[in-house]
Amino acid sequence: MKRKLLATLAVCFAVTATLPAADYTVVEKEDQIEIETPQLHAAVRKKGYVSGVAAQSFVDKKTGMRDAGFGLDIVDWIMEPGSDESYRSQLDPELVYTFGNLYHGQRPKRSIEGPQICTRARELQPEVIRGKDFVAVRQQFRYRTAAPGRKTGSLWTQVLVFPLGKRYFLSMDRIDAVNDSEAMFLRIDMPGHIRHQRGDTFSKVYLSYHGEIPSNEFFADFPPDEKFNFRRDRDGVPQRMIRAYQLRDPKTGATGPWLAGMALDPAVVSEAWCHQRGYVCMILEFGERPVRAGESFSAAFIVGYFDSIDEMNQVYDQFKGHTGLEVSPAGWKLTN
């Protein structure tokens, strides 16, 4: 009897050990790539408003909730501090950067290279990478406009990895530069902006360098440097760089999970906005350190759904300290 039981257990163990990982599906369409795992649904646009995960496509299957903005890890220009006022007439209008207003605040900044990828690249050719227990997307774009005296052609690379069994994805944005700058940075939306009508889509914002903020703080417009603004040169490097919003069902008012964006090396973030300008604007800028032509800089992120701030902190601490993300069919890994 004992031998029979042990033999049965051995067979059960063998069957369990050889079961394949939970499956995923990838559907490639003319305008986007759709990714389905047991935990998430997401789409990556090929045409139109591109970069990152497409607006309203990121669905948490545990709760049925989806992102409330214009997309996640959405990418803009390569920039640096300083004003473009002295040569503004020579700029492509898309590169002009005004300041001293509700949209951009008081701090002078200028574009080195453009266009704004999300709105003006128009079309990308994302590459799908399939692994045993993950699916990934890699996409690139060479900037094609530049400020006077600057070259065009810096390369933006984005990698998105969707691991099975997780309610989040990992991402990386990297710039391989063709210009010199004493303080080059890349501007992105992280995790993404929040569209709302008097807080109907979210109940709170959480900023690891500030704390929890109720939605009623965002009922009226205010500039990015008036409140809830983070600057590395003023505030130092925080223990964690987590920015999240707690979703709310606009029809029922029911509270959902947190949708968080985490910069895994907090020291790479030079400025982070969280202000109201018709929507909650969650811009993040990383880099703002000397870069020479031929060099590169990058940041790695986790973006996804969490049931609590404690859960966010635990995941952050598990992966903290990385700035790069490499992927091949054999696997993925975070790098420095």
Side-chain angles (χ1 to χ4, degrees), residues 83-140:
S83 172
D84 61 19
E85 291 170 293
S86 65
Y87 55 85
R88 193 169 284 174
S89 62
Q90 304 173 55
L91 283 173
D92 181 308
E94 197 270 341
L95 284 183
V96 171
Y97 189 85
T98 60
F99 57 95
N101 52 45
L102 280 173
Y103 267 46
H104 294 152
Q106 299 300 316
R107 190 164 187 259
K109 299 176 185 180
R110 59 193 178 202
S111 300
I112 299 174
E113 288 181 83
Q116 184 183 43
I117 289 177
C118 60
T119 62
R120 298 287 295 274
R122 306 296 188 197
E123 186 171 348
L124 299 175
Q125 290 79 43
E127 171 197 4
V128 177
I129 302 162
R130 295 170 172 85
K132 179 182 176 182
D133 56 359
F134 70 91
V135 59
V137 176
R138 180 189 291 118
Q139 48 193 345
Q140 295 182 315

Side-chain angles (χ1 to χ4, degrees), residues 224-235:
D225 43 10
E226 181 177 301
K227 53 184 177 179
F228 314 134
N229 176 258
F230 168 83
R231 278 210 53 82
R232 183 179 60 209
D233 57 5
R234 179 191 63 212
D235 304 319

